[in-house]
Amino acid sequence: MPGKLKVKIVAGRHLPVMDRASDLTDAFVEVKFGNTTFKTDVYPKSLNPQWNSEWFKFEVDDEDLQDEPLQITVLDHDTYSANDAIGKVYIDIDPLLYSEAATVISGWFPIYDTIHGIRGEINVVVKVDLFNDLNRFRQSSCGVKFFCTTSIPKCYRAVIIHGFVEELVVNEDPEYQWIDRIRTPRASNEARQRLISLMSGELQRKIGLKVLEMRGNAVVGYLQCFDLEGESGLVVRAIGTACTLDKLSSPAAFLPACNSPSKEMKEIPFNEDPNPNTHSSGPSTPLKNQTYSFSPSKSYSRQSSSSDTDLSLTPKTAPYPQGPRIYLCPSSPSLSCGSLHLKKSCLLLSESSLPPHHSSLVSPVLRKSVSFSEELFLAASGMGSGSAGKEGGPFKALLRQQTQSALEQRGGSPHRFCRRREFPFFTLTAFPPGFLVHVGGVVSARSVKLLDRIHNPDEPETRDAWWAEIRQEIKSHAKALGCHAVVGYSESTSICEEVCILSASGTAAVLNPRFLQDGTVEGCLEQRLEENLPAGCGFCHIPYDELNMPFPAHLTYCYNCRKQKVPDVLFTTIDLPTDATVIGKGCLIQARLCRLKKKAQAEANATAISNLLPFMEYEVHTQLMNKLKLKGMNALFGLRIQITVGENMLMGLASATGVYLAALPTPGGIQIAGKTPNDGSYEQHISHMQKKINDTIAKNKELYEINPPEISEEIIGSPIPEPRQRSRLLRSQSESSDEVTELDLSHGKKDAFVLEIDDTDAMEDVHSLLTDVPPPSGFYSCNTEIMPGINNWTSEIQMFTSVRVIRLSSLNLTNHALNKNFNDLCENLLKSLYFKLRSMIPCCLCHVNFTVSLPEDELIQVTVTAVAITFDKNQALQTTKAHVEKSLQRASTDNEELLQFPLELCSDSLPSHPFPPAKAVTVEKTSPMGEGNFRNRSAAPCANSTVGVVKMTPLSFIPGAKITKYLGIINMFFIRETTSLREEGGVSGFLHAFIAEVFAMVRAHVAALGGNAVVSYIMKQCVFMENPNKNQAQCLINVSGDAVVFARESELEVVSTQQPAANCQPACTGGEVTT
Amino acid sequence: MTSELDIFVGNTTLIDEDVYRLWLDGYSVGDAVALRVRSGILEQTGATAAVLQSDTMDHYRTFHMLERLLHAPPKLLHQLIYQIPPSRQALLIERYYAFDEAFVREVLGKKLSKGTKKDLDDISTKTGITLKSCRRQFDNFKRVFKVVEEMRGSLVDNVQQHFLLSDRLARDYAAIVFFANNRFETGKKKLQYLSFGDFAFCAELMIQNWTLGAVDSQVDDMDMDLDKEFLQDLKELKVLVADKDLLDLHKSLVCTALRGKLGVFSEMEANFKNLSRGLVNVATKLTHNKDVRDLFVDLVEKAPGPLGPLHGHPPWLPPAPLS
């Protein structure tokens, strides 16, 4: 009996009138957990009842505590007929299960009904008493902390970053069960809400178990998604990064007794575990009986994927796979191969490498299989690793070989594979300083699947296998880039009828491998090598072998250190590293694309989609590249490409933040080439366009303050080419110096950056490039955590969600018209946002997150969530430098003590090496902890002063404030339905009210946990369906975030002046705020 | 391409004061957009008309949703759905309950019933205030009236407590409620030159001195109704006219009290006898309901004598602020 849940119902207020005769309500409350139900007395004739109930006690397994939500139902008592439900409150009690989070949930919760919305509020107090459970075979994972934040949470320190955890559970969707035909919409909605709540509880528990198995105590970057597959079921899946975190402000690890004031009985052995890493290290430990079920013969077309797996794991034994489709010449600019690799996957690398015309697009219908592209990339990586010595230093090469050989051994017996070891993925987008060594580029993979009924919910193997394939593909892409890890990793789906596109993307990266060789001579050398790299540009240096690049790219010597090679353009899915040297400001860059598709059924449909995908990827990429150049920038961060499938079209939307990295070369201009050079007027038109483009680039450079320091002419050519250079028109302007051309020669002729105008479409494309209007002055926007170049945020923030749906006129829709509509939709939406928030100028829209869905034939829905933050114009410049210096300094100190993460490859390759001495770590950290504790104590009363207002932000920090405590994850799912759409103000009125209600419920839960903000807030789903003829609409919303307590920095100032060493927190990556 | 749905929801509810004013003034979305365009906002911000339309729609929707809460302002403070800073909440409430001088003069002292509501069309045409705005103002009067009607204690305090209005606005509402309750006639042509402020001033004095609550300050008394006994007692004032000594005494007391405080002091002093007689005549008749209703008409007709028409301002009111 490991837990006791106690609930008290205090009072209600603003209840709706349930009895028309008396204009009053006789309310009572049912409290349900698992299968036990308690009831309060009826409080007669009041809209503000005071129940003041006894404590209802539930004695339950901690497994149930994790899975089940507490369900509170408010009813109106009726003597003669059935009691009428007023509404419900679901409370996730998970935050009460970890020792450092909330100790009590107490406050006013909106009473929610899926048909009527919020109907009054109820005051509830919830507590949990947990008993110690030493049973190692238990099914619960209480005590594992979950964070949505995709960086190390602010008041924690990463002791170990273990790696990727994933899980999914499936079930039948209650909406599609037979019983749904006879039950009321309300009952159906509630069944669905409850099921999803249960499923996400279960999912979280299972992930927690995996984390415990890895000896971690937390999941960071936890992302949970629902796939509403309709008839075929409901999938809840989650990914995250397992970590061992140490709280900075509490000496829990050392002196457990003297810190937590609210001990109760909820301490759990693992949390107390002072040095989890001392005995965790050996890779064999976590290898429990949970073997990876990757048997190739399981189902259809698995052949290819399983063989891929083997190949990718054994690149050295089969560096040149014998596939007939493979043809790779490292020096060739184009990957001319007849394989499908372009169809399903696309390496968005540092240069537009995809040839405009694929040599032979033989397209076998492969609706349910992963692409063959791995073979190709493997070949590249095989060669790369063979000769890696040249670039990364001999030890890196050694390391790579070691890891690979280790993998080989494992690859020989894939059944012994522990699942967690398989994918070196990290869902984090910001890292402790020094963690990220090199960034290769964006890797992404997509796969089109046909949904079929999930027959056995307990064995979600099909879905598991689908994702395993995709991840495998990502992994091999990363290898092809000479990278052993993928960071900023995320997964998503798009479903239309029975077709589903699974997508995954991330950034191939080399992470700090130092701890592999800990204590050995090589380690020291390696370390020295690392230290020789100047900070601020190291991550830009290419991780792959320049002689055997998997794609054509123009390399130059780093403009910062002049020692290593860098690509001319860098695309990543992560946030801008804090130590990166950026010139000027960044801006939001979007590529938007629509493609019409014939309506088709099942397989034909899937085939059509798979045929379209590579072209979309290519065009999205080209658009991004064009827009980036037009902005005069050379790197993209936070890249997120979303492909949405609809009945008769595909939509692609890519968002990223463009910046000018000082380490990369100045981007070249954009050149326009005409196909009919003899026509005089045409020529004139072309040159006119060219001039316009050049003007735009110049204007943008001014707007975003991009003034790179003048570098000696030997390196850069003229940024904008002379029109006379016709012969070299097909060249990018990242023309290189003498020394660089030497190197470039080895790649043969370069692919170039030119817009060829050979038909009207191309002309329109160029026009559309120029129609993107920059935000009005005083406004900046980005989709990353922080805006490069602005760091003097003031405390005013405004998080918002905006939704737009447009109906396309169904008459003669062409790709072109579609594109224009979509483009206008997004542009108008942004313009509206700028207008609405004009009172906040100067301000920056951060973390702008667009989601596109195609709810019906002619409907396009765009949902945007972002936060507007004001900043102080006057301080804009001065702090930049200090900031960088500070973070550098922090980086160097932190490196010494903080970074002890075993990478999958590390521990596999060197099993004999234990982890770095953990004792030293614990000793060193006593001082910051003491300080943190002090700060925490003094901050607590400050937080109380701001009770009432709950801030919400998609960022991981609150400007001008310090997060003092994480209270737990908020993960909520709501359904709202109406049968009186017109009366509720039409679709806009309905959705507006619903979103406001969702915000209110999130805020209420946070406030009840004792928090005053939600960080890393995300609206993961907003599915809206309407039927205006029937006057009906339904909407599903899923949101999540981290509930926190923050204290204003001004209130903390006294403390920090007393403790000058305030910047020893490792995780203040983007959040370091100067006020 | 038509926009089916277009919404913006902020964690902190955005309130645009200008749009709020347009909404309160009862303009349709189309009219509001046109007015905003005319204000030059497009040039200032570089926005397009479509953006303005969408923005206006959005604000209107928000206001529409908030209106339910504005009907019971304490609810606005305690509700959880819209996060609005306290200063903005106060602004929303204050503006919502604000009224037009022209409108209030039309309905002041009228019964706040359905019958009067039907006349709002005419009032709208007459005053140039949109019908929608008239309805809101009328409903506000009626709502406040309904809530405080049966309440004990200070009228102003009750209004303030239940509607969270500023002191000044609460006083105005107290006056409106008081006038509505006693049905004082204010619409006659003769009274047209009097402003709402003039009446509100009277109402305040009457509440302070003439009501049940004023006479003995027990808590369970009400400010709404005039004290019948007091009105009865007013009959005794006849002596002030009949008895010469008392008349002189009254005159000297009044003159001492008002010397230097009144612009028309000398005229008042010269005409004191006439004035006093007029006032006493009005006062002694107040036992009949009909005469109570006509109090102000009678005052203007009988009390000012030569003064009122001369100066446009009756002597029983404080000096006009502008003169």
Side-chain angles (χ1 to χ4, degrees):
Chain A
M1 197 54 59
K4 193 188 269 180
L5 171 68
K6 300 192 293 181
V7 185
K8 183 181 176 126
I9 307 295
V10 183
R13 68 182 181 197
H14 305 152
L15 294 189
V17 169
M18 297 300 281
D19 181 359
R20 287 278 160 76
S22 64
D23 266 5
L24 289 167
T25 296
D26 305 320
F28 71 101
V29 181
E30 274 182 12
V31 185
K32 188 176 176 201
F33 189 83
N35 293 320
T36 319
T37 307
F38 291 103
K39 280 183 194 175
T40 65
D41 297 333
V42 175
Y43 194 93
K45 303 205 183 313
S46 172
L47 299 181
N48 300 293
Q50 304 288 320
W51 292 289
N52 242 323
S53 78
E54 60 190 295
W55 284 99
F56 299 121
K57 300 190 180 88
F58 301 86
E59 295 184 335
V60 278
D61 284 341
D62 46 1
E63 191 183 331
D64 286 342
L65 279 176
Q66 286 193 290
D67 286 7
E68 295 269 351
L70 175 67
Q71 182 182 322
I72 293 168
T73 314
V74 186
L75 297 114
D76 176 51
H77 176 74
D78 203 325
T79 322
Y80 304 108
S81 60
N83 299 326
D84 292 327
I86 295 172
K88 286 190 186 220
V89 180
Y90 291 98
I91 301 177
D92 180 11
I93 48 171
D94 215 50
L96 294 179
L97 304 180
Y98 10 107
S99 56
E100 288 148 10
T103 55
V104 64
I105 298 176
S106 163
W108 290 99
F109 291 89
I111 302 168
Y112 181 73
D113 179 71
T114 58
I115 305 294
H116 295 102
I118 289 177
R119 307 170 96 188
E121 289 122 41
I122 184 168
N123 194 324
V124 182
V125 186
V126 186
K127 285 183 178 175
V128 172
D129 288 345
L130 269 189
F131 307 106
N132 279 346
D133 182 12
L134 299 172
N135 178 8
R136 286 274 157 195
F137 299 99
R138 63 214 195 112
Q139 288 299 301
S140 80
S141 56
C142 293
V144 174
K145 293 182 274 290
F146 285 80
F147 299 93
C148 294
T149 303
T150 55
S151 55
I152 300 303
K154 297 288 179 284
C155 42
Y156 290 88
R157 207 181 61 111
V159 180
I160 308 175
I161 298 177
H162 298 277
F164 191 59
V165 279
E166 49 79 29
E167 184 64 85
L168 64 80
V169 293
V170 298
N171 211 317
E172 269 186 272
D173 191 338
E175 187 100 340
Y176 295 88
Q177 283 164 348
W178 67 269
I179 194 167
D180 207 61
R181 293 180 194 174
I182 52 169
R183 65 182 162 193
T184 63
R186 175 182 285 121
S188 158
N189 291 339
E190 283 175 1
R192 234 170 155 195
Q193 281 193 173
R194 200 182 123 71
L195 178 71
I196 287 183
S197 187
L198 261 173
M199 285 170 79
S200 45
E202 183 191 341
L203 192 68
Q204 219 168 309
R205 174 173 58 82
K206 285 187 169 168
I207 291 233
L209 277 173
K210 289 189 173 179
V211 172
L212 289 178
E213 209 165 83
M214 294 161 104
R215 302 271 165 179
N217 65 2
V219 182
V220 181
Y222 184 68
L223 179 70
Q224 185 191 291
C225 292
F226 301 95
D227 296 332
L228 301 165
E229 295 184 350
E231 289 280 342
S232 63
L234 190 66
V235 177
V236 187
R237 59 193 162 79
I239 55 174
T241 306
C243 295
T244 301
L245 297 184
D246 222 347
K247 198 161 189 338
L248 279 173
S249 51
S250 75
F254 236 33
L255 309 160
C258 73
N259 105 340
S260 358
S262 54
K263 263 286 135 98
E264 308 218 352
M265 300 171 67
K266 40 185 255 158
E267 292 298 346
I268 299 137
F270 319 95
N271 289 346
E272 296 290 277
D273 203 342
N275 304 313
N277 47 343
T278 44
H279 42 253
S280 71
S281 48
S284 57
T285 332
L287 270 180
K288 296 246 157 123
N289 37 12
Q290 200 174 15
T291 54
Y292 187 54
S293 57
F294 209 92
S295 54
S297 55
K298 266 266 155 73
S299 64
Y300 49 77
S301 81
R302 194 73 77 62
Q303 208 93 27
S304 61
S305 62
S306 65
S307 72
D308 283 346
T309 315
D310 286 341
L311 281 172
S312 69
L313 293 169
T314 59
K316 290 214 78 187
T317 50
Y320 300 97
Q322 303 297 307
R325 296 186 193 84
I326 285 140
Y327 168 71
L328 179 97
C329 172
S331 58
S332 154
S334 65
L335 294 172
S336 50
C337 63
S339 94
L340 263 189
H341 85 281
L342 286 168
K343 307 192 101 38
K344 302 281 171 65
S345 67
C346 182
L347 276 170
L348 291 177
L349 292 170
S350 51
E351 179 58 336
S352 61
S353 61
L354 297 176
H357 305 289
H358 310 303
S359 44
S360 58
L361 278 172
V362 202
S363 47
V365 179
L366 270 175
R367 61 174 177 91
K368 282 179 180 175
S369 90
V370 78
S371 76
F372 288 109
S373 55
E374 287 85 349
E375 297 168 37
L376 176 82
F377 292 116
L378 267 180
S381 88
M383 286 185 290
S385 63
S387 58
K390 237 195 148 178
E391 175 255 339
F395 304 110
K396 238 182 243 177
L398 180 69
L399 153 75
R400 208 166 283 157
Q401 280 169 14
Q402 278 174 331
T403 33
Q404 270 162 3
S405 61
L407 273 173
E408 251 170 69
Q409 286 158 14
R410 305 220 144 248
S413 53
H415 287 287
R416 284 196 52 224
F417 241 120
C418 175
R419 207 180 280 205
R420 74 167 176 97
R421 289 285 179 214
E422 200 181 11
F423 301 111
F425 296 170
F426 299 84
T427 53
L428 305 180
T429 58
F431 310 91
F435 186 90
L436 198 63
V437 179
H438 299 307
V439 168
V442 170
V443 284
S444 75
R446 288 180 210 284
S447 156
V448 183
K449 301 289 184 192
L450 268 188
L451 298 173
D452 47 3
R453 204 167 187 83
I454 301 168
H455 295 291
N456 184 359
D458 295 328
E459 294 279 322
E461 282 187 5
T462 326
R463 304 295 184 277
D464 253 350
W466 287 356
W467 286 111
E469 282 169 11
I470 295 250
R471 289 171 192 146
Q472 202 61 51
E473 195 176 335
I474 290 276
K475 187 177 164 184
S476 51
H477 289 348
K479 272 184 191 252
L481 286 172
C483 295
H484 61 217
V486 176
V487 293
Y489 179 73
S490 66
E491 295 176 346
S492 62
T493 56
S494 170
I495 298 172
C496 178
E497 301 291 319
E498 73 258 272
V499 176
C500 172
I501 302 182
L502 311 183
S503 312
S505 72
T507 305
V510 175
L511 304 181
N512 193 332
R514 187 188 322 153
F515 297 100
L516 281 179
Q517 291 104 334
D518 183 73
T520 64
V521 185
E522 293 100 314
C524 299
L525 282 172
E526 173 77 32
Q527 196 167 335
R528 220 168 295 149
L529 262 176
E530 292 284 319
E531 277 162 7
N532 284 340
L533 293 178
C537 65
F539 74 94
C540 308
H541 301 159
I542 51 163
Y544 35 84
D545 181 11
E546 69 192 56
L547 294 177
N548 294 299
M549 288 190 301
F551 55 90
H554 311 285
L555 299 182
T556 49
Y557 277 106
C558 171
Y559 276 48
N560 198 9
C561 66
R562 307 296 170 109
K563 290 188 182 113
Q564 302 279 323
K565 297 284 172 57
V566 293
D568 58 349
V569 179
L570 188 65
F571 284 13
T572 73
T573 58
I574 55 171
D575 273 340
L576 184 69
T578 32
D579 56 350
T581 325
V582 172
I583 293 171
K585 296 196 168 63
C587 72
L588 181 73
I589 292 180
Q590 284 193 321
R592 303 153 188 146
L593 189 67
C594 303
R595 277 286 169 272
L596 284 172
K597 167 183 86 65
K598 284 215 174 66
K599 274 193 194 181
Q601 290 300 308
E603 288 197 27
N605 197 13
T607 312
I609 293 168
S610 358
N611 287 342
L612 272 173
L613 277 181
F615 294 99
M616 293 198 63
E617 298 256 21
Y618 174 71
E619 276 195 45
V620 163
H621 185 228
T622 312
Q623 246 190 60
L624 280 175
M625 192 64 92
N626 282 335
K627 289 189 176 175
L628 184 67
K629 298 215 173 212
L630 208 57
K631 295 277 193 293
M633 297 173 185
N634 58 18
L636 285 182
F637 287 89
L639 176 63
R640 190 168 159 267
I641 302 179
Q642 199 198 352
I643 305 262
T644 311
V645 57
E647 293 250 299
N648 56 352
M649 60 180 118
L650 282 175
M651 313 279 277
L653 179 66
S655 308
T657 302
V659 295
Y660 186 101
L661 284 177
L664 302 190
T666 314
I670 295 175
Q671 288 253 289
I672 295 182
K675 269 282 157 101
T676 47
N678 298 328
D679 189 341
S681 66
Y682 191 67
E683 192 93 322
Q684 202 178 356
H685 182 67
I686 295 280
S687 67
H688 176 70
M689 294 276 276
Q690 181 70 60
K691 188 175 171 299
K692 243 170 114 179
I693 286 180
N694 294 347
D695 288 350
T696 313
I697 294 177
K699 222 165 62 195
N700 280 328
K701 280 190 172 169
E702 198 177 316
L703 182 63
Y704 299 108
E705 296 162 27
I706 300 169
N707 325 298
E710 283 300 318
I711 303 175
S712 47
E713 318 80 53
E714 64 182 278
I715 303 211
I716 321 170
S718 69
I720 294 164
E722 300 296 313
R724 237 173 280 120
Q725 288 176 307
R726 268 294 146 79
S727 58
R728 284 170 53 187
L729 263 185
L730 297 172
R731 300 245 142 180
S732 130
Q733 280 315 294
S734 50
E735 281 302 318
S736 14
S737 66
D738 298 346
E739 44 173 320
V740 178
T741 19
E742 256 179 53
L743 298 157
D744 284 343
L745 286 177
S746 63
H747 304 291
K749 77 169 195 256
K750 286 180 290 181
D751 203 356
F753 216 77
V754 176
L755 295 175
E756 255 183 60
I757 302 193
D758 44 3
D759 55 14
T760 42
D761 271 6
M763 188 64 101
E764 293 299 338
D765 285 348
V766 176
H767 272 299
S768 70
L769 266 185
L770 294 166
T771 50
D772 274 13
V773 194
S777 75
F779 261 112
Y780 293 93
S781 56
C782 62
N783 75 336
T784 46
E785 284 255 305
I786 44 159
M787 178 68 173
I790 302 177
N791 43 29
N792 47 330
W793 305 111
T794 48
S795 59
E796 198 187 337
I797 64 170
Q798 166 72 294
M799 188 282 296
F800 59 84
T801 293
S802 186
V803 184
R804 264 189 201 192
V805 177
I806 56 160
R807 186 176 289 279
L808 302 161
S809 51
S810 51
L811 298 166
N812 5 305
L813 265 185
T814 59
N815 275 335
H816 176 65
L818 209 54
N819 272 335
K820 189 174 179 315
N821 277 334
F822 185 39
N823 215 29
D824 287 352
L825 171 62
C826 294
E827 282 293 318
N828 288 338
L829 189 46
L830 280 170
K831 273 187 213 156
S832 266
L833 298 181
Y834 295 137
F835 180 76
K836 280 209 171 285
L837 299 163
R838 65 193 185 282
S839 64
M840 293 180 78
I841 285 178
C843 105
C844 178
L845 298 187
C846 292
H847 214 286
V848 179
N849 186 6
F850 274 70
T851 332
V852 185
S853 52
L854 299 163
E856 270 173 58
D857 259 12
E858 278 119 25
L859 294 184
I860 305 178
Q861 178 191 330
V862 176
T863 311
V864 187
T865 299
V867 62
I869 311 183
T870 55
F871 62 90
D872 189 346
K873 221 171 193 168
N874 304 323
Q875 293 173 15
L877 298 167
Q878 61 189 32
T879 42
T880 320
K881 212 179 168 198
H883 181 70
V884 170
E885 274 166 12
K886 201 167 147 197
S887 60
L888 285 184
Q889 187 194 351
R890 204 193 310 143
S892 58
T893 49
D894 286 347
N895 278 349
E896 300 307 317
E897 44 175 323
L898 294 174
L899 297 167
Q900 305 163 34
F901 41 85
L903 292 170
E904 91 163 301
L905 304 168
C906 313
S907 45
D908 276 355
S909 65
L910 294 168
S912 60
H913 279 293
F915 283 94
K919 267 180 194 157
V921 178
T922 37
V923 171
E924 276 172 52
K925 76 193 169 198
T926 41
S927 73
M929 279 190 304
E931 168 211 9
N933 197 24
F934 176 47
R935 180 185 302 147
N936 195 26
R937 233 184 294 128
S938 63
C942 303
N944 290 341
S945 62
T946 50
V947 159
V949 175
V950 175
K951 299 211 171 202
M952 292 169 75
T953 171
L955 307 178
S956 66
F957 66 97
I958 293 182
K962 199 144 242 156
I963 292 169
T964 54
K965 198 175 181 189
Y966 280 81
L967 299 167
I969 197 168
I970 296 280
N971 188 6
M972 300 168 96
F973 178 82
F974 298 104
I975 302 177
R976 180 87 151 78
E977 189 167 344
T978 185
T979 47
S980 51
L981 189 59
R982 272 188 296 278
E983 294 78 356
E984 291 189 39
V987 284
S988 294
F990 171 70
L991 195 61
H992 190 147
F994 183 38
I995 292 179
E997 285 175 342
V998 168
F999 286 0
M1001 287 183 278
V1002 170
R1003 287 193 302 257
H1005 276 77
V1006 172
L1009 286 168
N1012 55 8
V1014 189
V1015 295
S1016 300
Y1017 167 82
I1018 173 171
M1019 182 176 281
K1020 289 178 292 192
Q1021 227 142 11
C1022 178
V1023 184
F1024 178 73
M1025 289 157 287
E1026 57 167 323
N1027 188 343
N1029 298 331
K1030 283 188 175 172
N1031 205 16
Q1032 286 175 344
Q1034 192 192 35
C1035 185
L1036 293 78
I1037 287 184
N1038 178 215
V1039 296
S1040 67
D1042 293 326
V1044 299
V1045 180
F1046 74 87
R1048 287 259 156 249
E1049 228 146 58
S1050 50
E1051 292 160 3
L1052 288 170
E1053 234 156 53
V1054 191
V1055 185
S1056 25
T1057 44
Q1058 284 168 1
Q1059 304 285 334
N1063 63 351
C1064 64
Q1065 299 207 359
C1068 301
T1069 42
E1072 199 60 37
V1073 181
T1074 45
T1075 332
Chain B
M1 185 180 82
T2 49
S3 209
E4 287 271 303
L5 185 159
D6 179 5
I7 58 161
F8 174 98
V9 191
N11 184 37
T12 305
T13 306
L14 279 185
I15 308 287
D16 185 309
E17 290 184 42
D18 298 333
V19 184
Y20 189 47
R21 194 175 290 282
L22 291 170
W23 179 74
L24 288 175
D25 288 345
Y27 291 105
S28 67
V29 175
D31 292 347
V33 170
L35 283 166
R36 291 182 85 186
V37 169
R38 230 174 290 156
S39 77
I41 195 162
L42 294 185
E43 290 75 28
Q44 285 164 30
T45 57
T48 61
V51 165
L52 204 60
Q53 166 87 14
S54 140
D55 179 69
T56 312
M57 287 278 278
D58 218 65
H59 282 299
Y60 266 54
R61 203 179 311 116
T62 309
F63 298 140
H64 182 72
M65 290 192 277
L66 286 171
E67 190 165 22
R68 188 176 55 85
L69 297 163
L70 284 165
H71 290 167
K75 267 195 186 164
L76 184 71
L77 260 65
H78 293 124
Q79 54 84 30
L80 302 175
I81 300 179
Y82 307 97
Q83 187 158 271
I84 305 170
S87 61
R88 288 268 142 171
Q89 285 179 344
L91 178 130
L92 281 175
I93 297 168
E94 195 74 6
R95 293 261 175 91
Y96 189 79
Y97 282 91
F99 49 81
D100 288 308
E101 169 87 21
F103 177 78
V104 75
R105 281 295 281 108
E106 291 296 322
V107 295
L108 191 66
K110 281 191 184 146
K111 197 175 174 189
L112 298 174
S113 64
K114 287 216 174 97
T116 315
K117 199 167 178 181
K118 276 179 194 148
D119 300 336
L120 291 180
D121 283 358
D122 301 336
I123 296 176
S124 170
T125 332
K126 187 174 164 194
T127 57
I129 300 164
T130 60
L131 182 61
K132 227 174 156 186
S133 178
C134 287
R135 288 218 177 103
R136 171 181 61 82
Q137 298 182 39
F138 181 81
D139 289 342
N140 281 345
F141 295 163
K142 194 169 167 184
R143 196 175 315 110
V144 174
F145 184 87
K146 285 262 178 212
V147 168
V148 300
E149 188 180 23
E150 303 279 306
M151 272 180 194
R152 302 173 184 286
S154 155
L155 189 57
V156 179
D157 288 354
N158 284 340
V159 172
Q160 212 160 8
Q161 196 186 332
H162 287 89
F163 292 91
L164 309 172
L165 303 178
S166 68
D167 188 56
R168 173 162 175 88
L169 196 54
R171 277 168 205 283
D172 286 349
Y173 267 90
I176 292 164
V177 168
F178 183 75
F179 266 66
N181 189 51
N182 292 293
R183 312 267 298 279
F184 292 119
E185 174 62 58
T186 64
K188 286 265 154 52
K189 246 208 170 99
K190 284 173 203 143
L191 295 175
Q192 283 309 313
Y193 72 103
L194 291 170
S195 71
F196 170 72
D198 297 335
F199 286 115
F201 176 81
C202 298
E204 194 173 342
L205 286 179
M206 287 164 84
I207 291 168
Q208 274 168 23
N209 302 306
W210 291 19
T211 59
L212 285 170
V215 181
D216 53 281
S217 54
Q218 280 170 18
V219 201
D220 52 350
D221 280 331
M222 291 190 292
D223 276 355
M224 291 281 273
D225 299 312
L226 294 173
D227 183 1
K228 290 265 151 46
E229 276 180 47
F230 167 75
L231 296 179
Q232 201 70 44
D233 293 346
L234 286 177
K235 282 192 186 266
E236 312 289 323
L237 289 177
K238 273 181 185 159
V239 288
L240 290 178
V241 188
D243 190 321
K244 178 84 169 59
D245 292 344
L246 286 175
L247 180 71
D248 289 345
L249 182 61
H250 185 216
K251 182 178 176 183
S252 70
L253 285 172
V254 169
C255 289
T256 317
L258 291 179
R259 194 182 300 276
K261 292 178 188 165
L262 211 57
V264 289
F265 182 79
S266 49
E267 289 97 323
M268 192 273 294
E269 198 173 21
N271 286 295
F272 188 82
K273 197 174 168 185
N274 281 342
L275 274 173
S276 181
R277 183 180 301 127
L279 283 172
V280 168
N281 280 342
V282 172
T284 50
K285 285 201 301 183
L286 286 178
T287 44
H288 302 290
N289 273 345
K290 169 86 178 65
D291 294 315
V292 171
R293 284 184 204 164
D294 287 338
L295 173 67
F296 292 94
V297 183
D298 291 346
L299 281 174
V300 170
E301 277 177 359
K302 293 168 187 162
L307 290 181
L310 269 180
H311 297 274
H313 202 82
W316 36 270
L317 281 174
L322 290 176
S323 63

